[in-house]
Amino acid sequence: MNTQKLKMYALALPLAASLAACQGAGSTDYKDASAPVEARVKDLLSKMTMDEKLRQLSQLNMAPDIVQDGEFNESRMDECIGANGYGSVQGILLSSEQATDYYNRIQHYCVEKTRLGIPIFNTTESLHGSVQDGSTIFPQSIGVGATFDPDLANQMTTAVAGELFSEGLNQVLCPVVDVTRDPRWGRTEETFGEDPYLNGLFGIAEVKGYLDNGMNPVLKHYGPGAETQGGLNLASVSCSRRDLLQVHLKPFEMVVRNTNLHGIMSSYDMWDRVPNSASHYLLTELLRDEWGFDGYVYSDWGAIGFLHSFHKVAATEAEAGRMAMTAGLDFEASSGCFWQLPELVKQGKMDEAVIDQAVARVLKVKFEMGLFENPYRNEGGKPEVRSEKNKALARRMADESIVLLKNENNLLPLNADNLRSLAVIGPNADQVQFGDYSWSRSNQDGVTPLVGLRNLLGDRVNIRYAKGCDLVTDDQSGFAEALSAVRASDATLLFLGTASASLARDYSNVTSGEGFDQCDLNLTGMQEQLLEAVSATGKPLVLVLVTGKPISVKWAKEHVPAIVAQWYGGEAAGDAIADMLMGNTVPSGRTPISWPQSAGHLPCFYNYLPTDRGFYHQPGTPNNPGRDYVSSSPDPLWAFGHGLSYTTFEYGEPVLSATQLMATDTLTVGLEVRNTGSRDGKEVVQLYFNDVASTLATPVKQLKAFTKVEIPAGESRHVEMSVPISEFAYYDMDMNLQVEPGEFDIMLGSSSNDIRQTVRIQVGAEGSVIKTDPVTNASFMVTPDGDTIRRE
């Protein structure tokens, strides 16, 4: 193996050159709002001590440093912040009322009592609503992805930004655009699903919603991290460089290139044995030099310290700090490695210019956000949360995220006029499930399915409720009551699934979410046994899976007539599922991630290579051995993009703008979609492509456009979608990103495995090279001595 050391002395040169351009024009005061940002950064940086610089690269935890026993301790600000300020402060455990008050108090201190008056980033989490107590709780991200409507996601973050502003905040650590292909990973629920294009579009929509409304989103978690070894959180990722660039990093590139993103968070994981938080290739060469990102990189909490304590690539915390910063990571959260860098500078082991570069990036974002001129948010006001408008949006998103997976003989919707009694059973029937990164797990803060059904049906239907079992133990003592209720009722609604924590608050009996991964995909506890016992009664049964990720329910698919996926649906989830089950709303959600038959069927995603779903296509069963798998097929239970409706849709012949195109062209596809059923409904028209023959293997299909259209019963709508031919590019043998000339199939359908129309186009040779990528089959990391190693 050849090892070439590349000196890092030029790391700070790009920023230094831009600052030098301001010289000769006279001195500029960083407080002058009319001066160029670069000049203001240069002036402020020149006035800062080393301690002030490092503080701008560090985060203060409001509790317990300043908020103690729930009360704000004014005197602690002198001790914790002093005269030198801080880069960021977080208070995720605060109520909305406390946040509005406390964040502004700290901002006043930083602006008015520190030596240089640098405003602070008031930081929180808002994956699906602000985590400050009392805020609107929207559907979890996997449910947002299931809507297949990025405009709804944009409306959500616009609404959330308003609540955050009223809570005194200016920075949020979201959205998550990780591409998740292994649902054993507990954080699956935080993502939009398995498709790079879908995730990228939702990421763009959410980032714009924040940026357009005065909030600084920090996109996460940069680097491959959602397809970890064994589905374990923080584990390493093994994938090719092509998959790295075209699958895992594709949505990050889409967001960076299509928004004015200021912040991005590095991830805990490692790729090709290089921790992402120490990868010069990821953090500098790709993110900055190629994609043009000019904001700052924020570490995931404790990630820099992990280089020493967890990844074992740094002998000391000081070395970990240097590795991360010289790789291109600018801001440290919840570890103390950067504080040890001054000693390395004194010893001549690190150039202070590297620290200056990181500080300049943070200051640049604060200037660009206008924090020096307008540092306060809703000062003296009350938080404006849970408005009627925001609650209505949360409800609409809950409606559109529900996925009807199976509906044999049109069992759904149920007709209340034909029901005398209804059994409502299961551990998730009368328990809210909001998902991780929310502020509550209490039924007082949302609507459970049982409450939603009672709200809707009132006295018209006798509802018999029994929990049956819990989510985690082997206790079957509740089975008898549940089965009695089932036998005495006309039909049964069985609510099973998962449970996730509320951030930094309640981690009891959690089966999904951050750090709660599964070795299989089965229903936990006694849920499967309860399901089979209820089914054995012979009563009409609807299974509702309230979940943050796909669950292996192969038996249920074979034996239960109707199955619904309700991703964690936010505070209005109970009302939404009640209206869907009783036919007041028509389901329109789609699966944003494939549902594997079992953990043994992983990996399971729709955009697989032609060789990866078997050769013999003679699926076996437990009593009848076959091939490829002896006792199964390799197919998913439900494929990406799947979702049924209470109506039906017919696709007309597609009309193309051209069938002979060049790589620089844009293809437009139009078609008529007709609602052939008796109910108004929404159809998600999906456009996939396939490279018919390519020099290197390419996926059997890839999503490149989709649109959600509402069509009244018996009517048609014209649907039109456009795709740049450059989206058909892939990395060739020399790692050039190009559109290879040849034939491409354009597939239109209702899901990835329900293609209704296919047309073929020809792409010519002229202009086929999109760009030349300088990346080799090498990986990079920054060593403890500050050099970059290229591993061939």
Side-chain angles (χ1 to χ4, degrees):
M1 179 176 68
N2 295 323
T3 302
Q4 178 185 6
K5 289 191 174 183
L6 303 175
K7 295 296 182 182
M8 297 298 298
Y9 68 91
L11 195 72
L13 290 181
L15 180 64
S18 66
L19 296 181
C22 298
Q23 294 177 342
S27 62
T28 298
D29 190 334
Y30 70 91
K31 296 181 180 180
D32 181 3
S34 65
V37 167
E38 293 83 357
R40 299 178 75 183
V41 170
K42 179 178 183 294
D43 178 65
L44 179 52
L45 193 59
S46 71
K47 293 177 168 63
M48 298 175 73
T49 66
M50 177 61 80
D51 187 73
E52 286 170 328
K53 292 175 183 178
L54 292 176
R55 283 172 175 263
Q56 285 303 306
L57 306 181
S58 303
Q59 182 157 285
L60 177 70
N61 296 320
M62 201 179 296
D65 293 337
I66 296 176
V67 177
Q68 299 172 325
D69 297 325
E71 297 296 327
F72 194 91
N73 188 335
E74 197 83 28
S75 64
R76 288 285 296 168
M77 287 196 289
D78 289 331
E79 185 175 342
C80 295
I81 302 175
N84 292 340
Y86 247 97
S88 171
V89 61
Q90 68 83 16
I92 59 177
L93 292 175
L94 302 178
S95 68
S96 295
E97 291 79 6
Q98 289 173 320
T100 304
D101 180 16
Y102 297 175
Y103 277 117
N104 276 306
R105 283 204 218 180
I106 290 177
Q107 190 69 280
H108 267 286
Y109 187 97
C110 290
V111 171
E112 298 168 8
K113 294 188 178 182
T114 61
R115 189 176 74 90
L116 296 171
I118 303 172
I120 196 168
F121 281 132
N122 289 336
T123 304
T124 195
E125 303 275 3
S126 63
L127 187 64
H128 52 120
S130 169
V131 296
Q132 313 308 150
D133 291 15
S135 306
T136 307
I137 303 172
F138 291 88
Q140 178 62 290
S141 293
I142 193 73
V144 176
T147 68
F148 269 64
D149 189 345
D151 182 61
L152 277 179
N154 179 264
Q155 292 180 46
M156 181 187 77
T157 53
T158 296
V160 173
E163 294 196 2
L164 292 166
F165 188 100
S166 79
E167 293 169 336
L169 290 148
N170 54 44
Q171 179 168 269
V172 289
L173 306 179
C174 61
V176 174
V177 293
D178 300 54
V179 175
T180 180
R181 289 174 155 190
D182 189 339
R184 291 176 298 178
W185 188 49
R187 301 192 78 170
T188 294
E189 66 184 71
E190 297 179 40
T191 77
F192 299 117
E194 73 180 38
D195 183 71
Y197 178 76
L198 180 86
N199 288 17
L201 286 188
F202 273 96
I204 291 168
E206 291 206 358
V207 164
K208 286 184 174 180
Y210 284 125
L211 288 175
D212 292 347
N213 292 279
M215 207 57 54
N216 184 45
V218 177
L219 187 71
K220 60 187 188 183
H221 309 87
Y222 177 63
E227 196 174 353
T228 57
Q229 295 283 346
L232 283 169
N233 195 39
L234 312 184
S236 61
V237 175
S238 295
C239 69
S240 69
R241 186 170 295 274
R242 289 180 176 85
D243 281 347
L244 171 77
L245 296 173
Q246 292 201 266
V247 177
H248 295 287
L249 299 186
K250 174 70 173 178
F252 293 95
E253 181 181 10
M254 289 173 65
V255 175
V256 169
R257 292 189 184 277
N258 290 280
T259 71
N260 187 31
L261 184 73
H262 296 308
I264 196 165
M265 180 188 286
S266 69
S267 68
Y268 290 117
D269 313 89
M270 70 170 77
W271 172 72
D272 197 20
R273 304 198 182 189
V274 178
N276 297 337
S277 293
S279 173
H280 185 261
Y281 165 59
L282 289 177
L283 298 176
T284 297
E285 298 176 41
L286 189 65
L287 178 62
R288 298 186 184 282
D289 298 345
E290 186 170 332
W291 297 353
F293 176 70
D294 64 354
Y296 83 104
V297 179
Y298 177 112
S299 80
D300 207 336
W301 288 19
I304 298 175
F306 277 12
L307 300 177
H308 167 63
S309 64
F310 188 53
H311 296 296
K312 305 293 186 181
V313 298
T316 66
E317 288 190 344
E319 291 173 353
R322 177 169 52 187
M323 290 174 69
M325 189 176 287
T326 53
L329 202 160
D330 306 304
F331 187 96
E332 181 175 25
S334 294
S335 54
C337 303
F338 280 6
W339 290 101
Q340 302 184 42
L341 296 182
E343 184 60 30
L344 299 185
V345 173
K346 290 179 183 178
Q347 296 172 7
K349 295 180 179 180
M350 183 173 182
D351 192 335
E352 187 172 349
V354 179
I355 298 175
D356 287 351
Q357 176 178 248
V359 177
R361 288 169 175 164
V362 172
L363 294 177
K364 175 177 176 289
V365 174
K366 291 185 176 183
F367 280 119
E368 289 177 337
M369 288 185 64
L371 293 184
F372 282 81
E373 290 69 50
N374 298 289
Y376 311 115
R377 302 290 176 96
N378 193 29
E379 187 180 14
K382 293 185 178 297
E384 299 174 9
V385 296
R386 273 180 159 166
S387 67
E388 292 303 315
K389 181 179 179 181
N390 288 0
K391 288 191 290 186
L393 177 60
R395 168 59 197 273
R396 180 185 169 193
M397 295 180 73
D399 289 338
E400 298 208 24
S401 65
I402 296 171
V403 182
L404 179 57
L405 296 170
K406 179 183 178 183
N407 195 19
E408 188 176 284
N409 297 322
N410 293 320
L411 175 59
L412 289 175
L414 299 177
N415 187 340
D417 293 334
N418 297 333
L419 287 175
R420 293 170 301 172
S421 57
L422 187 64
V424 179
I425 309 296
N428 276 341
D430 194 29
Q431 177 58 53
V432 295
Q433 296 295 353
F434 297 137
D436 207 347
Y437 284 77
S438 59
W439 55 268
S440 173
R441 296 178 71 185
S442 171
N443 286 358
Q444 295 179 351
D445 299 311
V447 181
T448 71
L450 176 63
V451 171
L453 287 160
R454 285 174 172 166
N455 289 342
L456 178 64
L457 298 175
D459 297 331
R460 290 186 294 159
V461 177
N462 181 19
I463 294 178
R464 297 184 175 92
Y465 164 70
K467 185 176 180 180
C469 68
D470 59 40
L471 294 172
V472 294
T473 72
D474 59 3
D475 182 8
Q476 299 186 43
S477 60
F479 276 30
E481 180 186 9
L483 294 176
S484 176
V486 169
R487 293 188 183 101
S489 303
D490 295 335
T492 299
L493 302 175
L494 179 59
F495 292 86
L496 306 178
T498 63
S500 296
S502 55
L503 183 65
R505 293 167 173 84
D506 180 1
Y507 289 85
S508 61
N509 297 322
V510 171
T511 63
S512 185
E514 184 173 5
F516 296 92
D517 313 307
Q518 294 283 356
C519 61
D520 59 40
L521 296 172
N522 301 330
L523 288 163
T524 56
M526 291 290 104
Q527 293 183 93
E528 183 74 29
Q529 290 83 348
L530 179 63
L531 165 64
E532 294 183 18
V534 170
S535 178
T537 66
K539 290 297 183 78
L541 173 61
V542 178
L543 171 62
V544 181
L545 296 166
V546 181
T547 178
K549 61 183 182 180
I551 301 172
S552 293
V553 285
K554 187 173 185 292
W555 187 91
K557 185 178 181 181
E558 295 171 355
H559 296 88
V560 177
I563 305 176
V564 177
Q566 185 180 33
W567 316 101
Y568 299 146
E571 61 182 55
D575 288 330
I577 194 66
D579 272 334
M580 177 267 174
L581 293 171
M582 305 310 297
N584 294 331
T585 58
V586 176
S588 63
R590 298 292 186 270
T591 52
I593 181 171
S594 302
W595 287 58
Q597 295 188 51
S598 72
H601 287 75
L602 296 173
C604 178
F605 45 84
Y606 85 93
N607 47 351
Y608 56 89
L609 298 178
T611 56
D612 293 354
R613 279 285 168 84
F615 173 76
Y616 301 99
H617 304 300
Q618 298 172 13
T621 65
N623 297 310
N624 183 24
R627 307 164 86 177
D628 302 293
Y629 288 135
V630 170
S631 58
S632 177
S633 77
D635 299 324
L637 289 176
W638 293 286
F640 173 84
H642 170 77
L644 304 177
S645 176
Y646 291 156
T647 188
T648 55
F649 298 94
E650 184 178 274
Y651 286 45
E653 291 290 331
V655 177
L656 278 59
S657 57
T659 56
Q660 302 282 331
L661 299 106
M662 296 299 177
T664 54
D665 293 336
T666 294
L667 173 68
T668 299
V669 180
L671 75 160
E672 295 295 314
V673 179
R674 182 173 179 80
N675 183 340
T676 55
S678 59
R679 298 285 302 270
D680 298 349
K682 294 181 179 181
E683 173 70 341
V684 179
V685 182
Q686 302 162 44
L687 185 153
Y688 300 85
F689 88 93
N690 170 251
D691 193 339
V692 176
S694 49
T695 302
L696 296 177
T698 55
V700 295
K701 58 175 71 75
Q702 298 178 66
L703 182 72
K704 285 302 170 185
F706 59 89
T707 186
K708 193 170 192 175
V709 57
E710 185 168 11
I711 308 176
E715 296 187 17
S716 298
R717 291 291 183 268
H718 181 75
V719 173
E720 196 166 278
M721 295 176 283
S722 295
V723 182
I725 299 300
S726 59
E727 281 294 309
F728 298 172
Y730 74 98
Y731 286 90
D732 66 13
M733 293 289 290
D734 299 318
M735 289 304 291
N736 292 323
L737 186 62
Q738 69 155 319
V739 177
E740 190 173 26
E743 294 180 319
F744 294 82
D745 281 337
I746 306 301
M747 297 170 278
L748 299 152
S750 189
S751 77
S752 63
N753 69 343
D754 183 11
I755 301 301
R756 309 288 183 86
Q757 298 285 358
T758 300
V759 291
R760 184 162 291 185
I761 64 171
Q762 182 81 33
V763 175
E766 183 181 345
S768 60
V769 175
I770 305 304
K771 67 172 182 174
T772 299
D773 189 271
V775 176
T776 66
N777 286 321
S779 60
F780 305 80
M781 73 179 294
V782 177
T783 64
D785 62 3
D787 293 342
T788 297
I789 289 180
R790 180 191 298 264
R791 293 177 172 175
E792 302 293 350

